[in-house]
Amino acid sequence: MSVPKFAQIKEFILENIRSGAWQENHRVPSENELSNQFKVSRMTARRALSELTDAGILTRSQGLGTFVASFKSQSSLLEIKNIADEVKARSNHYSCTILVMESISAIAPIAIALGVEVDSHVYRSVIVHNENEQPLQVEERFVNPALAKDYLQQDFHSLTPHEYLSQNAPLTEARHTVEAIMPNQEMCEWLNLYNEEPCLQVIRRTWSSQGIVSFARLVSPGSKYRLGGHLTFKK
Amino acid sequence: MSVPKFAQIKEFILENIRSGAWQENHRVPSENELSNQFKVSRMTARRALSELTDAGILTRSQGLGTFVASFKSQSSLLEIKNIADEVKARSNHYSCTILVMESISAIAPIAIALGVEVDSHVYRSVIVHNENEQPLQVEERFVNPALAKDYLQQDFHSLTPHEYLSQNAPLTEARHTVEAIMPNQEMCEWLNLYNEEPCLQVIRRTWSSQGIVSFARLVSPGSKYRLGGHLTFKK
DNA sequence: CAACTCACCTTGTATATACAAGATAATTAT
DNA sequence: ATAATTATCTTGTATATACAAGGTGAGTTG
């Protein structure tokens, strides 16, 4: 079978939405109507509707019917990719410089972000990620030592901290915020910025089932780095 | 039935992943094994595996089996929400000031971004979105007149441009980029910035089935606005 | 020994059937 | 006329069954 029946029905529905024939909240044919129309079983028609619902394109409610989802409910998304992969994808040379690997005493804001006691010791690393030997991003990371005992013994030239941590303590959740900031003196030196320029700062906290694993601050010059996103009606 | 069987099986699989018992690329039980283990039909076991696969948590391949997806393939996502909704969600007062509503002749970069001829006329609007009467974001938008003829006649106090456009020309695709920039003189005035400060700039292009609908530039002061994101292993 | 065939596992597609449960409209009883 | 019931539509869950098609390994054949 070249193209499965359930896929044909999905395409039929998507085409009606794309053409504008079925606007937001328009009622789409029921499972029974589709199964008669396309001469398939109800389960096959159901599969088409279910998959489009999972994709956020339709909404269903028991007893009422199936409807075209309102665009508002479709969130516009931005992806945060692994920086090493991103550089390599542009077929440029990736390298990194490890500036700091230490165990420090956690001041209040860091202790709170990591969910540990104030003044308990935590690991801290500062790494500069380079694209063709030019600094692209500074990664300052604080790590909960209870969940990654041998963090300071790692060689992060071969494996990024994020890769190491996600292998060690399976990730269950992550939160991000993105801001525009002005870098301080130290950050300017790390990034080789002679003239002050605005930077994009991503703060990322990651959880595993045992608690907060790490807290990272990723800073990139506004002129060299941007985040990209993409939203589409799935085909 | 309190909790459906397929959901119980999903939870069983997720729990094994969350606990770390099943690492990346670990092989999960086959449909037949699960159906024996849980005393359900193969179709029910299959549903659990299929839904987790659609969610990006598992990967399957015919003839081989089903495996825990590698974490790398799970993208970390940031949401861009409707600014009016966001302000109202903080239970603050939303208002907007319409600065410009005009028809202009498209210079090259704008014409290219909109996919129209250079020097053809396009619509332009500049709107300031306020939170409690303080400027929060400037929205400069260029609109393809072929796809939104009466754009200039709209009253954007009641309906945001984005809402109007997505009702008028059904949206099929959107692309974003996020950058950190330094605002120019004009932008500082619009945002009421006395001291220069870095700003977050989102560029958004939206498509409908008939072509590129609009091209928007959203600028917010770094001190007042940030983007938030959230990633989790779906329950 | 190498190459081929075949059995057996896996996932993928499709159907027919059954009953549960939510929503609505028509009917019936009060 | 209003309230309660019923019929009928919808989606949701679950099973048994059938065949297709991809991948692996064991055994057979040359």
Side-chain angles (χ1 to χ4, degrees):
Chain A
M1 179 168 313
S2 52
V3 47
K5 295 183 182 179
F6 76 90
Q8 292 176 28
I9 300 177
K10 283 174 75 172
E11 196 47 44
F12 164 77
I13 294 169
L14 282 172
E15 194 43 49
N16 275 288
I17 295 175
R18 278 195 286 258
S19 74
W22 295 351
Q23 299 277 340
E24 288 182 22
N25 303 317
H26 180 279
R27 167 129 193 239
V28 313
S30 72
E31 297 175 359
N32 286 317
E33 287 166 348
L34 284 173
S35 63
N36 289 329
Q37 209 170 319
F38 283 87
K39 309 284 183 216
V40 298
S41 73
R42 185 193 146 204
M43 292 305 286
T44 302
R46 176 176 179 74
R47 178 167 178 186
L49 293 174
S50 296
E51 292 191 2
L52 290 176
T53 302
D54 289 343
I57 292 172
L58 302 177
T59 60
R60 322 192 71 187
S61 83
Q62 199 171 14
L64 267 178
T66 307
F67 306 86
V68 177
S70 63
F71 175 71
K72 271 202 155 182
S73 70
Q74 303 223 15
S75 53
S76 311
L77 299 171
L78 282 175
E79 282 182 65
I80 298 184
K81 298 173 195 137
N82 184 315
I83 186 123
D85 292 343
E86 227 173 310
V87 170
K88 288 171 193 161
R90 288 193 285 263
S91 52
N92 285 334
H93 181 245
Y94 171 79
S95 63
C96 66
T97 314
I98 296 170
L99 296 177
V100 176
M101 290 282 268
E102 60 181 5
S103 179
I104 60 166
S105 178
I107 58 172
I110 293 167
I112 292 168
L114 276 180
V116 298
E117 294 281 315
V118 175
D119 292 332
S120 66
H121 78 285
V122 299
Y123 299 148
R124 172 173 179 256
S125 62
V126 179
I127 297 175
V128 182
H129 300 281
N130 305 305
E131 176 165 19
N132 291 341
E133 281 66 47
Q134 287 291 310
L136 178 62
Q137 183 175 87
V138 169
E139 169 184 350
E140 180 179 28
R141 190 178 286 270
F142 299 92
V143 177
N144 186 342
L147 300 178
K149 274 206 303 288
D150 41 4
Y151 181 77
L152 295 182
Q153 277 73 56
Q154 298 307 308
D155 175 18
F156 290 127
H157 290 97
S158 51
L159 198 71
T160 67
H162 177 253
E163 287 171 329
Y164 166 72
L165 289 172
S166 62
Q167 280 180 20
N168 230 282
L171 201 60
T172 55
E173 196 174 350
R175 279 180 216 273
H176 313 270
T177 58
V178 176
E179 296 173 88
I181 60 154
M182 218 59 214
N184 60 17
Q185 184 61 37
E186 189 183 42
M187 189 58 76
C188 283
E189 283 168 23
W190 287 341
L191 283 172
N192 247 346
L193 297 178
Y194 298 110
N195 307 314
E196 282 210 327
E197 71 166 291
C199 288
L200 209 57
Q201 171 174 278
V202 177
I203 303 280
R204 179 192 285 177
R205 281 208 294 169
T206 54
W207 277 256
S208 82
S209 50
Q210 286 105 55
I212 301 172
V213 179
S214 83
F215 169 75
R217 182 166 154 252
L218 312 168
V219 180
S220 308
S223 60
K224 291 183 184 166
Y225 187 77
R226 58 180 60 160
L227 289 167
H230 188 191
L231 161 67
T232 172
F233 277 80
K234 264 202 236 173
K235 260 220 171 180
Chain B
M1 179 170 312
S2 51
V3 46
K5 295 183 182 178
F6 77 90
Q8 292 177 29
I9 300 177
K10 283 175 74 173
E11 197 47 44
F12 165 76
I13 294 169
L14 282 172
E15 195 43 49
N16 275 289
I17 295 175
R18 277 196 287 258
S19 74
W22 295 351
Q23 298 277 341
E24 289 183 20
N25 303 317
H26 181 278
R27 167 125 194 241
V28 314
S30 72
E31 298 176 358
N32 286 316
E33 288 167 347
L34 285 173
S35 63
N36 289 330
Q37 209 170 320
F38 283 87
K39 307 285 183 216
V40 298
S41 72
R42 185 192 145 206
M43 291 306 286
T44 301
R46 175 177 181 72
R47 177 167 179 185
L49 293 174
S50 297
E51 292 190 3
L52 291 176
T53 301
D54 290 342
I57 292 171
L58 302 177
T59 59
R60 323 190 71 186
S61 80
Q62 197 171 14
L64 269 177
T66 307
F67 306 86
V68 177
S70 62
F71 176 71
K72 271 200 158 186
S73 70
Q74 302 223 16
S75 53
S76 311
L77 299 171
L78 282 175
E79 282 183 64
I80 299 183
K81 296 172 196 140
N82 184 314
I83 185 125
D85 292 343
E86 226 173 311
V87 170
K88 288 171 193 162
R90 287 194 286 264
S91 53
N92 284 335
H93 181 246
Y94 170 80
S95 62
C96 66
T97 314
I98 295 169
L99 297 178
V100 177
M101 290 283 267
E102 61 181 3
S103 179
I104 60 165
S105 178
I107 60 172
I110 292 167
I112 291 168
L114 276 180
V116 299
E117 294 281 313
V118 175
D119 291 332
S120 66
H121 78 284
V122 298
Y123 299 148
R124 172 172 179 256
S125 63
V126 179
I127 298 175
V128 183
H129 300 280
N130 305 305
E131 177 165 20
N132 290 340
E133 281 66 47
Q134 288 292 312
L136 178 62
Q137 183 176 87
V138 169
E139 169 184 352
E140 179 179 29
R141 191 178 285 270
F142 299 92
V143 178
N144 186 340
L147 300 178
K149 275 206 301 287
D150 42 3
Y151 181 77
L152 295 183
Q153 275 74 56
Q154 297 308 307
D155 175 20
F156 290 126
H157 289 96
S158 51
L159 196 72
T160 68
H162 177 253
E163 286 171 330
Y164 166 73
L165 288 172
S166 62
Q167 281 181 20
N168 229 282
L171 203 61
T172 56
E173 197 174 351
R175 278 180 218 273
H176 314 268
T177 58
V178 176
E179 298 173 86
I181 60 156
M182 219 58 214
N184 60 16
Q185 184 60 35
E186 190 184 41
M187 189 60 76
C188 284
E189 284 169 23
W190 287 341
L191 284 171
N192 249 345
L193 297 178
Y194 298 110
N195 308 315
E196 281 210 327
E197 72 166 291
C199 289
L200 209 59
Q201 170 174 280
V202 176
I203 302 281
R204 180 192 285 177
R205 282 207 294 169
T206 54
W207 276 255
S208 83
S209 50
Q210 286 103 56
I212 302 171
V213 179
S214 83
F215 169 74
R217 184 166 152 250
L218 312 168
V219 179
S220 307
S223 60
K224 292 184 184 166
Y225 188 77
R226 59 180 60 160
L227 289 167
H230 188 192
L231 162 69
T232 171
F233 277 81
K234 265 200 236 177
K235 260 221 170 175

